Amino acid sequence: MTLNTEREGKATLRRRASTPIPSSHQPGPRDRELPVDSHHPPLGQSASYQPGDKSIHSLANWSSGSEESDSSGAECLYRVVLLGDHGVGKSSLANIFAGIQEKDAHNYIEEDTYERTLTVDGEETTLIVMDTWATEKQEEDENWVQDYCMQVGNAYVIVYSITERSSFESASELRIQLRRLRQAENIPIILVGNKSDLVRCREVAVEEGRACAVVFDCKFIETSASLHHNVHELFEGIVRQIRLRRDSKEANERRRSIYKRKESVTKKARRFLDRLVAKNNKKMARKVRSKSCHDLAVL
């Protein structure tokens, strides 16, 4: 599986220089309240996207390697919001998703929203990745924009740096805020420990990240944006997590069978033994749950 960063023909990546906030709800001097329900689109829709809109395109497909095609033919589009402290690597992750080379990143400083189509388990899904949290944070309407970000996502990626414990604590606070604001919704949330290549500067252990994910009932993965380590797996995992909550059990079982065919025999054996032991051992069941928090292909 490789990330295609070449720009071919007429297919261009849609980049949006600002958060797609409905124009009718730009805050005025006396209007700082966010309409919670009226402009919160259902799962699978964007505020700037209307059903039947054929104008959405992307630079290239990001394929998981499966050749099975989506028989439904329906286009799926979801917002993924990046949250986290300044400097933890949110923009670097977004640039890798968008196919922007590091040497060209300075040309896209004003960009904060990227759209791309991924092919995961043989089906296409379009993600709009919003890197607006830190960009808008210094502006006058900080609280309004942050509330908007908290309410429009179909999935959330909370990023911290493994070299900064304070960013890890902030990530925990963000998870609490999401639970309070979106507690009735079954939305995917992935806790990401970035900069895993900086081993000597590590302040947050892998075990701490996993324990936090188990406590807050979300998924966990460590990445290195500088080495592109686990970044593909992160965004494909987001797609799988959305589908697990959106689609029928039968559809997910079919996708799961495709995913399992790619697993090694050793990994399959370990998964089977973990389940077998966990049935009769509560402590082991908790340990298995801790392990499963970093498996982005299961709930």
Side-chain angles (χ1 to χ4, degrees):
M1 177 184 69
T2 58
L3 175 62
N4 183 0
T5 58
E6 296 295 325
R7 302 185 179 185
E8 301 174 358
K10 298 181 180 179
T12 56
L13 174 67
R14 286 177 60 105
R15 290 182 294 273
R16 304 176 183 181
S18 60
T19 312
I21 300 176
S23 58
S24 60
H25 284 84
Q26 295 288 356
R30 299 181 181 178
D31 182 16
R32 303 298 184 197
E33 296 296 325
L34 176 69
V36 176
D37 295 321
S38 60
H39 285 274
H40 178 203
L43 187 67
Q45 291 187 19
S46 164
S48 60
Y49 170 74
Q50 297 297 327
D53 185 359
K54 303 299 183 181
S55 63
I56 295 175
H57 302 287
S58 61
L59 169 64
N61 288 338
W62 189 354
S63 175
S64 65
S66 173
E67 296 182 358
E68 183 173 335
S69 61
D70 181 10
S71 58
S72 66
E75 181 175 33
C76 302
L77 185 145
Y78 304 97
R79 284 198 200 91
V80 179
V81 181
L82 301 179
L83 305 178
D85 283 356
H86 177 74
V88 296
K90 299 188 302 297
S91 295
S92 296
L93 294 172
N95 285 341
I96 294 172
F97 166 82
I100 298 173
Q101 299 288 335
E102 186 176 353
K103 62 181 180 180
D104 299 324
H106 65 279
N107 295 326
Y108 301 96
I109 293 177
E110 299 301 322
E111 310 288 352
D112 55 23
T113 304
Y114 304 92
E115 181 178 307
R116 191 164 192 177
T117 297
L118 315 183
T119 302
V120 181
D121 299 333
E123 299 176 26
E124 287 191 351
T125 300
T126 299
L127 296 183
I128 295 178
V129 172
M130 297 171 58
D131 179 26
T132 56
W133 187 256
T135 342
E136 304 283 358
K137 199 171 183 179
Q138 306 301 323
E139 297 198 359
E140 181 182 353
D141 301 313
E142 172 185 341
N143 293 334
W144 190 90
V145 174
Q146 289 192 356
D147 285 346
Y148 179 82
C149 289
M150 282 286 191
Q151 296 186 43
V152 299
N154 300 128
Y156 288 87
V157 175
I158 305 177
V159 187
Y160 68 91
S161 169
I162 68 160
T163 66
E164 297 178 35
R165 178 161 292 277
S166 60
S167 69
F168 178 65
E169 294 169 353
S170 296
S172 300
E173 290 297 323
L174 287 169
R175 178 65 186 96
I176 292 171
Q177 289 182 45
L178 276 173
R179 175 182 285 177
R180 183 172 64 248
L181 292 172
R182 309 285 295 274
Q183 60 182 346
E185 301 174 60
N186 189 19
I187 55 174
I189 299 173
I190 301 178
L191 181 66
V192 177
N194 193 35
K195 305 187 182 181
S196 61
D197 55 302
L198 302 179
V199 179
R200 295 184 179 182
C201 302
R202 180 184 284 272
E203 293 184 3
V204 183
V206 178
E207 292 73 18
E208 291 181 90
R210 289 179 181 174
C212 182
V214 170
V215 168
F216 289 120
D217 190 24
C218 59
K219 291 297 180 178
F220 170 74
I221 190 172
E222 282 200 350
T223 63
S224 169
S226 62
L227 299 180
H228 289 212
H229 175 65
N230 274 347
V231 180
H232 297 180
E233 289 78 2
L234 167 62
F235 287 105
E236 289 186 357
I238 292 169
V239 172
R240 291 189 175 106
Q241 287 296 305
I242 291 172
R243 290 173 179 172
L244 284 168
R245 291 161 172 79
R246 177 201 68 180
D247 295 339
S248 66
K249 183 177 179 181
E250 293 74 16
N252 284 314
E253 283 296 328
R254 177 178 59 80
R255 296 187 186 111
R256 182 68 180 158
S257 65
I258 296 172
Y259 179 76
K260 281 184 176 180
R261 286 202 295 267
K262 303 173 188 175
E263 290 184 332
S264 66
V265 175
T266 303
K267 190 172 181 180
K268 288 180 181 178
R270 286 178 181 172
R271 188 191 299 276
F272 174 76
L273 290 174
D274 283 342
R275 290 178 179 174
L276 190 63
V277 175
K279 286 183 179 180
N280 301 314
N281 189 318
K282 290 185 178 180
K283 285 187 177 181
M284 182 56 71
R286 285 194 293 271
K287 187 176 181 180
V288 169
R289 186 185 172 197
S290 177
K291 287 183 178 180
S292 68
C293 74
H294 63 270
D295 187 349
L296 304 187
V298 299
L299 283 175

